[in-house]
Amino acid sequence: MSQTIIITGGAGFIGSHVVRRFVTHYPNYRIINLDALTYAGNLENLHDIEDRSNYIFEKANILNAEAIDKLFASYHPDGIIHLAAESHVDRSILSPLDFVYTNVIGTVNLLNAAKKLWNGQHSNKRFYHISTDEVYGALGESGFFTEQTRYDPHSPYSASKAASDHFVRAYGDTYQMPVIISNCSNNYGPNHFPEKLIPLFINNIIEKKPLPVYGDGLYTRDWLFVKDHAAAIDLVFHKGKDHETYNIGGFNEWKNIDLVKLLCKLADEKLNRPKGESEKLITYVKDRPGHDRRYAIDASKISKELGWKPSVTFEEGLSQTIDWYLQNTEWLRHVTSGEYQQYYKKQYQS
Ligand code: NAD
Ligand code: DAU
């Protein structure tokens, strides 16, 4: 094996696509998927590659510094790609401390483990932190987030991600650790946990349940197909420069209500339902507190310096995504039983 990479959060939505990409594209790398399997972690996401000889799963919590140190000492990773996180804004409003623990303290535990293991020997080493555009706050009608935009997080989730980004940079500056960060816009695609807008609404359309649009529905997000994010992560990991930040985005802004209407239209066609049937499920509900009005990424740096651009159009990606959920009803059934039902009640019926 030419190198060992620990990918944290590899059983989650984006992490599973990153793990699959690295395991299949780089058969000479040893890929360790380190994940605590919280409600969002699901090994079913990786069923197709779990028997590959270059893939290892380690169930571990990044809050357990001792366990993380042991794993690092045992595998001697050359690279860390850190995706493990509490990732849902609405949950962060319900329980902010969980986000401080996992996203801030968990990240610092990983930095400490890498620092201890590498002990200043940084040749061919890399600590890659996966972050979000939400650290930049909210935009008005115009403008884009660049790598120079001042941090201005508004939710407990984005505040915890901003804090983790600061720690990663601080370890780069203070201990000269080979750190790198990317901040990405909203992802969508297969294996997305149905608490987030697109998979939640696909699930509710299938079940003919109300589609809860927050506020006036005019909030804007910049959507990127998850496999294009995984490709960007691959590129940044291999070709990015230490201590740099790369913004990643879809060049694809949608107001929530327009996106929901498109989703309803595509789903009706695929489910052979009469035109306009699913739109009738749209229900305006109370707004998310601190709701950021608009996100939009300027991804020109990664595009110019590393040659990345999205490969999938939104219509194609959304269509593939709906197909995936329609073909994977067992997956949906598993992840929407148990804890999901309690969360759903608390979030939407209180
Ligand atoms: P996710 O919630 O689907 O998955 C998170 C994974 O982390 C799960 O497998 C979970 O089991 C694991 N995890 C959580 N706490 C852990 C802990 N204490 N120890 C070990 N593992 C733990 O998240 P996602 O949407 O795939 O996001 C992955 C990363 O990408 C996050 O850091 C997130 O901030 C960032 N990000 C997400 C998006 C998006 O649109 N989803 C966009 C930009 C950046
Ligand atoms: O921008 C990147 C971020 O995108 C990631 O860092 C986060 O991990 C990820 O969860 C996502 O955050 P958002 O808050 O933008 O995604 P979410 O799918 O929760 O919401 C998208 C938009 O849809 C947002 O404006 C809120 C709205 N929404 C969401 C839900 C769940 C609704 O109107 N109704 C809903 O039920």
Side-chain angles (χ1 to χ4, degrees), residues 8-15 34-42 60-63 82-88 102 130-133 157 161 183-188 191-193 195-196 229:
T8 72
F13 166 47
I14 303 172
L34 188 165
D35 197 297
L37 299 183
T38 68
Y39 78 92
N42 183 353
N61 195 315
I62 58 172
L63 286 174
H82 174 36
L83 296 109
E86 288 294 337
S87 68
H88 190 37
T102 293
I130 307 301
S131 192
T132 170
D133 61 358
Y157 163 69
K161 290 297 290 187
N183 296 80
C184 189
S185 65
N186 287 62
N187 286 215
Y188 71 97
N191 310 95
H192 204 181
F193 193 81
E195 62 189 353
K196 313 278 168 60
H229 189 192

Side-chain angles (χ1 to χ4, degrees), residues 158-178:
S158 52
S160 69
K161 290 297 290 187
S164 67
D165 291 11
H166 291 320
F167 271 102
V168 172
R169 291 199 181 94
Y171 273 59
D173 292 342
T174 308
Y175 309 112
Q176 290 77 51
M177 279 178 61

Side-chain angles (χ1 to χ4, degrees), residues 204-212 273 276-283:
N204 285 12
I205 289 172
I206 295 172
E207 294 190 359
K208 300 191 175 173
K209 278 168 55 177
L211 305 177
R273 289 185 186 164
E277 173 146 315
S278 296
E279 261 197 50
K280 290 187 204 143
L281 299 170
I282 293 175
T283 311

